Amino acid sequence: MHTWRCVLAEWQLLRARVLRTRLGLWLALLGGGLGWLALSAGGGPTVLAGLALRLGALSAVLCVAFGVGSDLDRAALRLTLTHPTTPTAVAAGRWLGATTIAAIVTLAATAAVAGDTGTAGTAWLRAVAAGVASGGATAGCALFVVALGGNALAGVLFFYMVFLSGLHPAGLEPLMAPGVWRAAATAILELTPSLWRYRGLASGAVGAWLHAFAWMAGGVVVAGLLLKRRGR
C-alpha cells in the first residue's frame, strides 16, 4: 500500500505540470496537428491506427521530458529519495503519469477524427488500445534514455519516433551498405519501440504486444536502477 501511494504521488506531480507548464500546450498542439493530418488523409481504420500510434508515442516522450528529464528534476532526485520512497516507485509513478496523459491525448484526438470521418466502433477501440500500448512502451524507453542522458536523449528519441521508427529493418538494405552501421541501425529498429512493429498492435499481433509489455516493465525497472545510482 505504501509503495502504491508513492507511485500515485509521482503521478500527481506530472498531472500538475500539464496544467501549470507549457506541457499542456505542447500536447494540445501535437494532438491537434496530428489529428488535422489524419483528417486530411481521409480517416479510415488504417489512418486512425497510425494517428493513435504516433500520438501515444510522441505524447509519452514529451511527458517524460517535462516530468523527469529537466535539469531541476535531475538535481532534485537526491532530495526526492530522502523521502520514504524508492527509485523504482519514482520511475513507476512517472511512467504511470506519462502513459495516462498520453492515453488521454490519444483518446481525445482519435475520438474527434473518428467522429468526423465516421470511423467508429471496433476500429476506433483497437486504435485506442494500440495507441495506449505504444505510449506505455515509449514512456518506458524514454524513462531509460532520460535517466542516462537527460532531455538531450529525449529529443533524439522524439525525432527517431517521428522520422525513422516507421522504417522496417529490411528497408535499410537499399539505403546502407552491409557493415557495422547497418547492423547497428537494424538492432536499434528491432529493439526500440518502433512504429513499424507497433502497427500490429491494432490487429492483435502477439509479438508486437509482447514487445510493448517488455518495454513497459523493463523500462521502469532499468530506470529505477539508474535513478538509484544517480541518487547516491
Side-chain angles (χ1 to χ4, degrees), residues 13-219:
L13 172 65
L14 187 56
R15 184 187 64 178
R17 292 192 178 180
V18 172
L19 300 175
R20 299 178 183 178
T21 69
R22 289 175 292 178
L23 175 59
L25 175 61
W26 284 116
L27 291 173
L29 291 173
L30 182 65
L34 291 181
W36 177 78
L37 290 175
L39 287 173
S40 300
T46 302
V47 172
L48 195 64
L51 167 65
L53 292 176
R54 287 174 175 81
L55 194 51
L58 297 179
S59 298
V61 176
L62 283 178
C63 288
V64 171
F66 272 84
V68 184
S70 71
D71 292 338
L72 182 60
D73 284 314
R74 290 159 63 83
L77 178 62
R78 289 185 179 180
L79 177 60
T80 300
L81 293 179
T82 61
H83 297 120
T85 187
T86 64
T88 302
V90 171
R94 297 186 184 185
W95 173 86
L96 178 63
T99 303
T100 302
I101 293 168
I104 292 171
V105 174
T106 301
L107 181 65
T110 54
V113 173
D116 191 78
T117 60
T119 309
T122 304
W124 175 67
L125 291 175
R126 288 179 177 175
V128 170
V132 173
S134 175
T138 309
C141 182
L143 280 170
F144 165 65
V145 300
V146 164
L148 281 177
N151 276 347
L153 289 184
V156 172
L157 179 61
F158 186 91
F159 286 106
Y160 165 76
M161 296 303 297
V162 172
F163 295 110
L164 298 177
S165 72
L167 180 65
H168 193 281
L172 294 173
E173 295 180 5
L175 300 177
M176 304 176 69
V180 174
W181 290 111
R182 194 171 87 179
T186 299
I188 290 171
L189 287 170
E190 288 282 1
L191 295 175
T192 60
S194 301
L195 297 178
W196 73 265
R197 184 188 298 277
Y198 290 166
R199 291 189 186 108
L201 291 172
S203 60
V206 175
W209 279 99
L210 289 176
H211 190 276
F213 283 132
W215 267 111
M216 291 180 200

